[in-house]
Amino acid sequence: MLEDKHEAIALLTGVESSKKNYYTELKKTVDQLKKKNMQLEIMNELMQSFKIDMSLDETLKNMLDKLREIIRFDQISFFLLKGNSLVLTNIVPEKSYSIKVGTVLPIEGSLYWQVINNRQVILKRLQKDEDYFIEKNYFTDKYLQTILVLPIYSKNKRIGVLSIGRCNNTEWSFDDLAFLENLTDHLAVSIENVQLYREVFHSKQEWEDTFKAVDDMIFILDKDMNIMQYNDAVNTFKKNYENFHYLLLEREFKVLANNTYSFQKTGYKEINLSNQSTYELSTYPLNNNDQIIYGVIVYIKDVTEKRKMEAQLIHAGKLAAIGEMAAGVAHELNSPLTAILGNSQLLLRSSDKEDSAFTLLQDIKNCGDRCKQIIKSLLTFSRQDEYVFSTCSVNDAIKEVLNLLKYQFKEKNIDIITSLVVDLPDIEANQQQIEQIIINLILNAKDALESCVFENKEIYIETSLHIEEIHISVRDNGIGIEENRLTEIFHPFHTTKEFGKGTGLGLSVSIGIAKAHGGTIHVESQVNKGSIFTLVLPIQQDKNVEVSK
């Protein structure tokens, strides 16, 4: 009975009605707070979810589930401005458009271009069939009835367009529109930041890739000359060379870099390592925006081959000059040589073979003939003509040379010992050129012996037959050649003789002649024990082959 009275009083006073209104308003307020919290959560996650390695698809998927809880939509698409093109980059659900992701929208008659150019929000209702063609030749899902298109701007910079579609005509609330506009602002800032970050990242990546790919060594040093960074070429150098080579290089470039840092100017130095390699060291100061030097870049380039090429060009120029001089000298020598040969022949005719002077006259004539052949070779050299090959004997070539040189060796108390294989097969060659090689090798052996103080000075000349090859060896027991010079002795103008006693051309010319005959020259030597030079010639050789000058 008492409860009935309380109910009656509540109805009469309106208390029950107030409770219902209170709870209704309270629920509405709680829902609004939840919606605001969800909006803030979406904004927060949107700002945190954009990463350098995250695509727009991933970002949209991260916010769609929560976005559906506060805003009803059936389709969402994103158009990004790339240069001067508006491109469909993302759409959910997929295949909601007749156009594919990546399609560039034409400007004429475009709803999306209108939105981004005028920076205005457009709500379009799709009530008729023809309204489905929201773009020229493109249509959206036929079930959509309204689309909301919002421009995405970062300050005054155009970023793209966000399009949200619904399958009904539900009105958009002011709060939803305000939230979506706020969302596009955050979306624009995030996208622009990611784009800028990616540009910086890609520039940094390109620089690092270029830095690593450079074949020359690059170091970056701080102001205390500590190595902060270096490229892959440094590891290659360390792998291919001894550690002391790298330590020498490091010592040199740090001294140069320290001068660059101290005097604030570039530096340059060229150094030669003990492995016969040459390097250019260049240093450049590193400045910040305030032009304050905070480090040094060291650039190291291997110029070994470049220097060799330069030396070869210099040598080639010298050889060209020698060729021109040779022609003039040859013509000048022809006149006195003609008189020497003519007079020696006249004296030989009037002399008795038993006369002691006959042998001397015969030597004069032979030497004159030899000089005549040399002059002929000089003229041929200056004209760069071809030497004609013919059948000749290696043993005969050696004997001819010894006949010309034997008196020189007697005066120097040098014994010539020969060991020539009998019945060696003939070869196809230019005998005068083969004799020239033998002369050069024997005279070099003589020079090596002249520097010795012992009395037993000997030169051994041997021939031997190998498979398809003939070897001519000239061996001496002289001063020998240092090991580090063995790779240089065939280079043009390389000589250790005093000025006026050698040009450094003998062995370089000899190796050229040998190679032109299809052969080569080997050398073995030990300091203070002597040297062996071996001329290798093939038995078979085509005729009329041009000899290298």
Side-chain angles (χ1 to χ4, degrees):
M1 190 70 176
L2 184 61
E3 293 178 355
D4 292 338
K5 287 182 179 180
H6 285 305
E7 289 179 3
I9 292 171
L11 289 171
L12 289 172
T13 59
V15 171
E16 191 65 33
S17 175
S18 297
K19 285 183 178 179
K20 288 182 179 179
N21 289 335
Y22 170 75
Y23 285 115
T24 300
E25 291 298 324
L26 181 61
K27 184 177 183 303
K28 185 183 296 185
T29 301
V30 170
D31 289 340
Q32 288 177 349
L33 289 174
K34 286 182 178 179
K35 187 174 182 179
K36 289 292 184 183
N37 287 335
M38 186 65 71
Q39 290 176 352
L40 292 174
E41 189 175 341
I42 291 173
M43 296 291 189
N44 184 51
E45 288 193 3
L46 177 64
M47 300 302 292
Q48 293 181 355
S49 64
F50 265 96
K51 299 177 183 177
I52 185 65
D53 56 350
M54 182 175 287
S55 66
L56 187 59
D57 279 330
E58 293 177 284
T59 302
L60 291 176
K61 288 176 182 177
N62 288 341
M63 73 175 189
L64 282 183
D65 291 338
K66 293 183 179 180
L67 191 62
R68 282 196 176 97
E69 294 182 21
I70 56 176
I71 295 179
R72 189 184 183 286
F73 64 88
D74 298 293
Q75 180 198 77
I76 186 168
S77 55
F78 181 76
F79 297 82
L80 184 64
L81 191 65
K82 297 181 178 181
N84 294 321
S85 301
L86 193 59
V87 183
L88 176 63
T89 58
N90 306 86
I91 183 170
V92 178
E94 297 180 359
K95 300 181 180 179
S96 301
Y97 272 87
S98 65
I99 58 175
K100 296 180 180 180
V101 170
T103 300
V104 177
L105 297 182
I107 297 178
E108 183 181 356
S110 170
L111 172 68
Y112 301 113
W113 272 108
Q114 179 184 346
V115 168
I116 195 172
N117 285 335
N118 298 329
R119 198 172 182 175
Q120 66 178 132
V121 179
I122 293 180
L123 176 63
K124 185 175 181 65
R125 300 185 183 278
L126 309 175
Q127 296 178 346
K128 299 179 182 179
D129 290 343
E130 59 268 19
D131 286 336
Y132 294 133
F133 291 84
I134 59 174
E135 295 286 293
K136 185 178 180 181
N137 298 326
Y138 305 136
F139 63 89
T140 185
D141 192 315
K142 64 181 180 180
Y143 297 108
L144 293 182
Q145 293 187 24
T146 60
I147 58 169
L148 178 66
V149 188
L150 302 99
I152 302 175
Y153 268 73
S154 176
K155 297 181 180 178
N156 292 321
K157 181 181 178 181
R158 300 182 302 174
I159 302 296
V161 175
L162 180 66
S163 175
I164 302 175
R166 287 178 173 176
C167 293
N168 55 46
N169 288 319
T170 305
E171 294 293 333
W172 291 86
S173 68
F174 176 80
D175 288 341
D176 288 343
L177 292 175
F179 165 70
L180 289 173
E181 289 191 48
N182 194 15
L183 179 67
T184 56
D185 290 340
H186 282 75
L187 194 61
V189 173
S190 299
I191 292 173
E192 186 177 33
N193 288 341
V194 168
Q195 289 175 338
L196 291 173
Y197 185 81
R198 283 179 177 172
E199 288 177 6
V200 173
F201 179 81
H202 289 154
S203 297
K204 178 177 179 292
Q205 191 66 42
E206 288 177 359
W207 182 87
E208 288 181 350
D209 292 342
T210 303
F211 179 76
K212 292 179 181 178
V214 174
D215 292 333
D216 303 319
M217 290 182 281
I218 302 176
F219 294 86
I220 298 178
L221 310 182
D222 63 12
K223 61 180 182 179
D224 297 319
M225 298 301 109
N226 297 315
I227 298 175
M228 305 301 295
Q229 194 174 1
Y230 56 83
N231 64 346
D232 293 344
V234 177
N235 293 327
T236 303
F237 181 89
K238 290 181 178 180
K239 181 180 179 181
N240 295 335
Y241 295 96
E242 298 292 338
N243 187 50
F244 71 88
H245 288 137
Y246 172 77
L247 294 177
L248 173 62
L249 204 63
E250 182 179 348
R251 184 185 67 191
E252 293 289 342
F253 74 65
K254 282 190 174 181
V255 171
L256 191 64
N258 189 54
N259 290 335
T260 293
Y261 182 82
S262 300
F263 298 104
Q264 302 184 17
K265 62 180 182 180
T266 59
Y268 174 84
K269 186 178 183 180
E270 185 172 302
I271 65 169
N272 296 307
L273 300 182
S274 58
N275 60 358
Q276 307 301 319
S277 58
T278 305
Y279 288 87
E280 286 182 341
L281 311 182
S282 301
T283 53
Y284 307 90
L286 280 172
N287 304 322
N288 58 20
N289 293 333
D290 297 325
Q291 295 301 309
I292 298 175
I293 297 179
Y294 64 90
V296 178
I297 293 178
V298 179
Y299 182 82
I300 302 176
K301 185 176 184 62
D302 186 350
V303 294
T304 306
E305 294 302 321
K306 179 182 178 182
R307 293 293 177 263
K308 288 181 179 178
M309 184 65 69
E310 290 173 352
Q312 289 176 359
L313 290 174
I314 294 172
H315 293 158
K318 290 181 179 179
L319 289 173
I322 289 172
E324 294 178 3
M325 289 189 298
V329 171
H331 285 295
E332 291 295 328
L333 291 176
N334 262 333
S335 297
L337 186 59
T338 300
I340 292 172
L341 286 173
N343 292 333
S344 62
Q345 288 174 349
L346 290 174
L347 290 172
L348 282 171
R349 290 175 186 174
S350 60
S351 300
D352 190 347
K353 291 183 179 181
E354 301 299 329
D355 192 343
S356 59
F358 185 86
T359 303
L360 296 176
L361 291 172
Q362 187 66 48
D363 286 341
I364 291 173
K365 179 182 178 300
N366 291 338
C367 289
D369 289 333
R370 176 64 187 164
C371 290
K372 184 178 180 180
Q373 290 297 332
I374 292 174
I375 291 173
K376 183 179 179 182
S377 297
L378 286 173
L379 290 171
T380 305
F381 172 80
S382 63
R383 293 192 302 267
Q384 296 188 359
D385 291 340
E386 293 183 355
Y387 289 99
V388 177
F389 281 39
S390 60
T391 302
C392 63
S393 168
V394 169
N395 287 344
D396 290 346
I398 295 173
K399 292 174 182 177
E400 287 290 333
V401 170
L402 293 179
N403 284 335
L404 292 174
L405 300 177
K406 59 184 179 181
Y407 289 107
Q408 294 187 37
F409 290 98
K410 282 185 179 180
E411 292 178 357
K412 301 294 183 180
N413 295 319
I414 298 174
D415 294 329
I416 302 290
I417 303 171
T418 60
S419 177
L420 309 181
V421 174
V422 181
D423 298 329
L424 274 179
D426 291 339
I427 62 171
E428 292 293 327
N430 182 276
Q431 184 166 329
Q432 286 74 31
Q433 293 298 303
I434 300 301
E435 290 176 7
Q436 185 64 49
I437 297 176
I438 298 170
I439 288 174
N440 288 336
L441 297 182
I442 294 176
L443 290 179
N444 284 344
K446 177 181 75 70
D447 292 338
L449 288 167
E450 286 182 347
S451 301
C452 299
V453 295
F454 55 81
E455 296 183 357
N456 188 22
K457 301 177 181 180
E458 296 175 331
I459 297 177
Y460 299 86
I461 303 174
E462 303 178 20
T463 57
S464 57
L465 180 62
H466 298 261
I467 300 175
E468 298 183 352
E469 290 179 346
I470 292 177
H471 290 192
I472 307 167
S473 297
V474 178
R475 176 163 53 95
D476 65 74
N477 58 346
I479 58 174
I481 304 171
E482 298 86 350
E483 185 177 356
N484 61 353
R485 286 184 49 233
L486 289 177
T487 58
E488 301 178 9
I489 59 176
F490 292 103
H491 293 172
F493 303 103
H494 176 81
T495 181
T496 58
K497 298 176 183 178
E498 297 177 5
F499 179 77
K501 291 188 176 181
T503 63
L505 288 172
L507 286 177
S508 64
V509 171
S510 298
I511 191 70
I513 295 172
K515 289 181 178 179
H517 282 76
T520 188
I521 298 176
H522 300 306
V523 59
E524 300 175 30
S525 185
Q526 290 184 346
V527 176
N528 298 324
K529 290 187 177 181
S531 305
I532 304 175
F533 283 83
T534 304
L535 170 61
V536 179
L537 295 172
I539 295 175
Q540 299 295 329
Q541 178 68 38
D542 294 336
K543 295 183 179 181
N544 300 325
V545 178
E546 182 179 355
V547 177
S548 176
K549 314 305 189 290

